């Protein structure tokens, strides 16, 4: 049997981050909370968070030019549109969203839907991570 000896790392593990202690971002709709990120834990490969959609809420269509997204539906059920193709995403199911694929999430049910997501690799700068293709909820006017 071979034993691999890893050198001691000078990098320390980041803090434990709670959902409750993370403020929601509602810019694209729903309750999005990025828990593990370069800012919160010094991650270098991507970021992880949660999304909660109440009945009737949406996440507006957008795409990621540098990152793929892994979306896991923990509870509830939603309609996900991927480059125009609609599909159901029920509880305890996941979908992979490749780089460049436009996506929109709609909770068209009477129950709350809760997700965990991971996006990676990181964009060169945070403001380059998302490209919005429709106005945020509650917006008026054209872009």
């Amino acid at each position: 049997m071979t034993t691999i000896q890893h050198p001691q790392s000078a990098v320390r593990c980041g803090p434990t981050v709670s959902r409750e202690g993370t403020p929601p971002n509602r810019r694209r709709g729903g309750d999005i909370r990025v828990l593990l990120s370069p800012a919160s834990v010094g991650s270098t490969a991507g970021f992880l968070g949660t999304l909660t959609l109440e009945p009737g809420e949406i996440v507006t269509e957008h795409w990621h030019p540098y990152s793929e997204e892994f979306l896991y539906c923990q509870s509830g059920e939603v309609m996900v549109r991927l480059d125009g193709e609609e599909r159901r995403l029920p509880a305890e199911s996941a979908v992979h969203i490749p780089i460049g694929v436009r996506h929109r999430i709609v909770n068209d049910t009477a129950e709350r839907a809760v997700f965990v997501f991971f996006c990676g690799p990181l964009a060169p700068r945070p403001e380059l991570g998302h490209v919005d293709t429709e106005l945020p909820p509650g917006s008026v006017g054209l872009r």
Side-chain angles (χ1 to χ4, degrees):
M1 178 166 81
T2 303
T3 303
I4 298 174
Q5 296 292 323
H6 294 282
Q8 288 285 32
S9 173
V11 176
R12 302 303 306 159
C13 292
T16 298
V17 179
S18 74
R19 183 182 179 284
E20 182 179 304
T22 304
N25 176 341
R26 296 184 179 278
R27 181 170 175 259
R28 287 181 185 84
D31 179 325
I32 300 170
R33 299 182 193 221
V34 176
L35 304 177
L36 305 177
S37 70
S40 66
V41 298
S43 61
T44 59
F47 59 93
L48 178 137
T50 64
L51 163 64
T52 303
L53 286 176
E54 297 296 337
E57 285 188 315
I58 68 165
V59 172
T60 55
E61 186 181 84
H62 63 282
W63 59 280
H64 308 280
Y66 297 93
S67 307
E68 57 188 334
E69 184 169 354
F70 301 85
L71 182 63
Y72 173 72
C73 183
Q74 179 182 335
S75 63
E77 181 175 322
V78 296
M79 179 66 70
V80 178
R81 188 171 66 201
L82 305 170
D83 272 348
E85 174 197 332
E86 291 190 344
R87 63 171 79 172
R88 301 298 307 173
L89 184 62
E92 299 187 1
S93 296
V95 66
H96 169 245
I97 305 168
I99 292 172
V101 170
R102 293 173 296 121
H103 50 287
R104 183 178 206 265
I105 306 166
V106 179
N107 185 351
D108 56 357
T109 73
E111 294 182 33
R112 171 186 288 167
V114 178
F115 302 85
V116 174
F117 64 86
F118 174 79
C119 290
L122 295 168
R125 296 189 317 270
E127 66 273 14
L128 300 177
H130 292 82
V131 176
D132 294 309
T133 56
E134 67 181 343
L135 293 171
S139 295
V140 178
L142 299 174
R143 286 193 155 166

